[in-house]
Amino acid sequence: MQTSTDRILTTHVGSIPRPESVKALLRARLSGQSIDAAQLAARVAVAVAEVTRQQAEVGIDVISDGEMSKTSFLAYADERLTGFVATTAADPNIPASNAGGAWARRLDTRREWRAFREYYQEYLPQAMPPSAPPSVCQGPVAYKGQALLERDLATFKAALQGVNVAEAFVPAIAPAMVGRGQNQYYATEEEYVFAIAEALKTEYKTIVDAGFILQIDDPGLGETWDMMLPAPPLEEYRRMQARNIEALNHALAGIPEERVRYHLCWGSWQGPHVHDLGLRDIVDLMLRVKAQAYSVEAATPRHSYEWRVWEDVRLPDGKVLIPGVIAHTTAVVEHPETVAELIMNFARVVGRERVIAGADCGFAQGALYQRQHPTVMWAKFAALVQGAGLASQRLWR
C-alpha cells in the first residue's frame, strides 16, 4: 500500500451515505420484500461512480466505493454466507442485544446504555431505526457470495477509470463480528468463529486479487467490552479477543500484509462513551493482526488523547497508523488547524512517513441511517484534506 513518503496521505473508513434511490431498495430488501436486482445494481453503479468522483474531487487519496451496495457494514454478510436462517424479533433464542428494533430489551444489553438510560431511551430509536431481526447459524458456514462480491468489485473498477486517486480499498467484516451470539450449530464458539474465518477467506482473497487494498472492519475488539454483563476481568476479555484475532489471521493467511489495513473503533452511536475500553488495554492485540496499517478512532474527545499511547508502545517496523482526525459522532466540522495538530502529534511519535490521516468511523450505517448529513461529511472530508496539507507543509518544509 502507498504510504506518506513526501506528504500526509488521506483516507477514511469506507461507508458513505447512500442516495435515497439506493436506500429505498435496500430497505425494502431488508424488510423481506422482493426487489428488482437488476434495478438495484444499476442504481448502485450510478451511486458508486458519483461517490468515487466526489472523493477524488475533494482530494481524498485512498478511497472506497462508499459501500453503496451493502445493507450495512455487518448485515451484508448474511447474503454471502451459508448456514444462517432468518428469525423473528420474538424468537426467544435471540439475545436481546441482537433483537432488531426491540429497544426496550436492547437498552439493558450495554453498560453504557444502562448508565445513561434516559438519554438512550430518547436517542436510540431516532438514531437507529428498527432493523430486520438477525439470522441465526443453524448449519455449516461456507461462502456463497462470489457473484455479489465480483459485481461490487467490477462496479468499483469501472468507476475508477479516469479518476485520479492514489489507491482504492474495499472493506470486509472481521470473522468475530459475524453472527455474535447467534450460533445454534457449532459445538463451541471457537469452532464457530474459525468456521466463519475459513469462509471469509474467499472474500478477502478475491478483494486483494482484484487489485484493491483490503480493509478489515472490526469494532468488536474494543466495542464488545461494553456488551459483556457483568464486566469480565480484563484478562478474560483479552483471551477471548486473542482467539478472535487468531481466527482473523487464519482468514488472512496467504495475503501479503502490505495489502491489508485493519479498522478499530468503539461504536458508531453518538453518546457519552464513558464505558469505552482504552486503546492501551488492547493495542498489543491489535498489533497481532497481519496487516500493514491500523485505522484507529482518535478524533472523538473520548479517545483524542490516545496518540500518547505510541510514546510508550513501539509501532513495529514497516507498520502504518491511520488515526481518525475527523469524527463521525459530531456535526461540528473540525478546523483544518485542529486536524493538522492531531496529525502532527502522531507524526512526532511514530514518524511522518508512517501516518495516513483518516476518519474515526464510517458516516453511514448502511441503508438504515446516516451518522451525519452528507453535506457535513463532505465538509469534514475537505477539512481533513486541508489539515493534511498544513501538516505536510510543516513536516516536510
Side-chain angles (χ1 to χ4, degrees):
M1 89 183 43
Q2 295 198 32
T3 57
S4 301
T5 54
D6 54 11
R7 65 182 177 88
I8 297 294
L9 296 179
T10 56
T11 188
H12 60 97
V13 172
S15 188
I16 288 176
R18 284 66 158 163
E20 186 57 38
S21 62
V22 172
K23 287 196 291 186
L25 289 178
L26 291 176
R27 284 195 295 259
R29 189 171 66 186
L30 273 175
S31 67
Q33 299 177 43
S34 177
I35 65 168
D36 186 327
Q39 183 183 43
L40 175 60
R43 292 183 182 183
V44 166
V46 171
V48 171
E50 177 66 7
V51 80
T52 298
R53 178 189 61 79
Q54 289 176 296
Q55 289 173 86
E57 286 182 353
V58 81
I60 301 293
D61 295 299
V62 185
I63 71 170
S64 77
D65 67 351
E67 300 191 82
M68 290 290 147
S69 72
K70 294 178 178 177
T71 50
S72 80
F73 86 102
L74 175 57
Y76 85 95
D78 287 351
E79 300 175 272
R80 301 191 182 183
L81 297 175
T82 67
F84 290 89
V85 298
T87 64
T88 66
D91 189 330
N93 295 315
I94 300 300
S97 58
N98 297 327
W103 287 117
R105 293 176 64 198
R106 295 184 70 185
L107 276 168
D108 281 322
T109 64
R110 288 183 182 270
R111 298 194 298 278
E112 166 85 14
W113 295 356
R114 286 181 169 188
F116 296 93
R117 180 178 294 274
E118 292 180 355
Y119 167 76
Y120 284 111
Q121 280 176 333
E122 294 183 11
Y123 167 77
L124 288 173
Q126 299 177 44
M128 301 180 186
S131 60
S135 54
V136 293
C137 180
Q138 294 184 347
V141 177
Y143 197 77
K144 64 175 183 179
Q146 289 91 340
L148 293 172
L149 174 60
E150 288 171 6
R151 185 173 63 194
D152 281 354
L153 299 179
T155 298
F156 195 16
K157 280 187 174 182
L160 286 165
Q161 294 301 311
V163 175
N164 184 25
V165 293
E167 216 158 29
F169 71 95
V170 173
I173 196 65
M177 286 293 298
V178 177
R180 290 186 297 187
Q182 293 158 228
N183 173 32
Q184 297 180 3
Y185 177 78
Y186 290 94
T188 66
E189 285 301 302
E190 181 173 1
E191 185 182 351
Y192 177 52
V193 73
F194 271 86
I196 296 170
E198 182 65 28
L200 286 175
K201 274 186 176 183
T202 299
E203 179 155 300
Y204 297 172
K205 186 176 186 300
T206 302
I207 290 170
V208 172
D209 287 349
F212 296 104
I213 298 297
L214 167 65
Q215 175 178 289
I216 300 297
D217 286 336
D218 191 15
L221 176 58
E223 182 190 359
T224 308
W225 170 254
D226 178 50
M227 299 170 68
M228 301 185 74
L229 299 167
L234 180 58
E235 281 309 307
E236 178 183 325
Y237 179 80
R238 283 171 50 84
R239 282 193 296 271
M240 178 191 73
Q241 293 297 345
R243 177 207 66 196
N244 291 343
I245 289 172
E246 185 181 351
L248 171 57
N249 284 338
H250 174 78
L252 291 170
I255 297 176
E257 287 189 9
E258 61 268 21
R259 303 300 298 169
V260 182
R261 53 192 250 182
Y262 175 84
H263 171 65
L264 164 69
C265 67
W266 280 266
S268 61
W269 70 88
Q270 300 172 28
H273 280 272
V274 298
H275 291 85
D276 285 3
L277 198 62
L279 176 62
R280 192 177 296 273
D281 294 316
I282 51 174
V283 65
D284 60 320
L285 298 176
M286 180 186 76
L287 291 175
R288 294 183 192 177
V289 176
K290 294 177 180 177
Q292 181 181 6
Y294 302 97
S295 163
V296 181
E297 186 173 340
T300 177
R302 195 69 191 178
H303 296 279
S304 60
Y305 75 96
E306 289 184 323
W307 64 271
R308 291 191 175 277
V309 167
W310 303 101
E311 293 178 325
D312 305 315
V313 176
R314 177 179 171 275
L315 184 65
D317 294 342
K319 303 291 186 175
V320 173
L321 284 181
I322 309 177
V325 292
I326 56 172
H328 63 296
T329 50
T330 175
V332 175
V333 177
E334 293 81 357
H335 195 284
E337 287 286 359
T338 302
V339 173
E341 183 176 8
L342 191 50
I343 292 170
M344 296 285 286
N345 287 340
F346 280 95
R348 290 189 189 102
V349 292
V350 302
R352 62 189 184 183
E353 295 86 359
R354 307 177 77 189
V355 176
I356 297 174
D360 276 355
C361 194
F363 281 87
Q365 179 52 39
L368 298 177
Y369 66 97
Q370 57 195 31
R371 292 157 186 167
Q372 298 298 336
H373 192 273
T375 57
V376 173
M377 181 200 69
W378 290 113
K380 282 176 171 280
F381 280 177
L384 167 64
V385 172
Q386 294 162 16
L390 292 173
S392 297
Q393 292 172 16
R394 294 160 190 171
L395 291 166
W396 274 273
R397 66 183 170 187

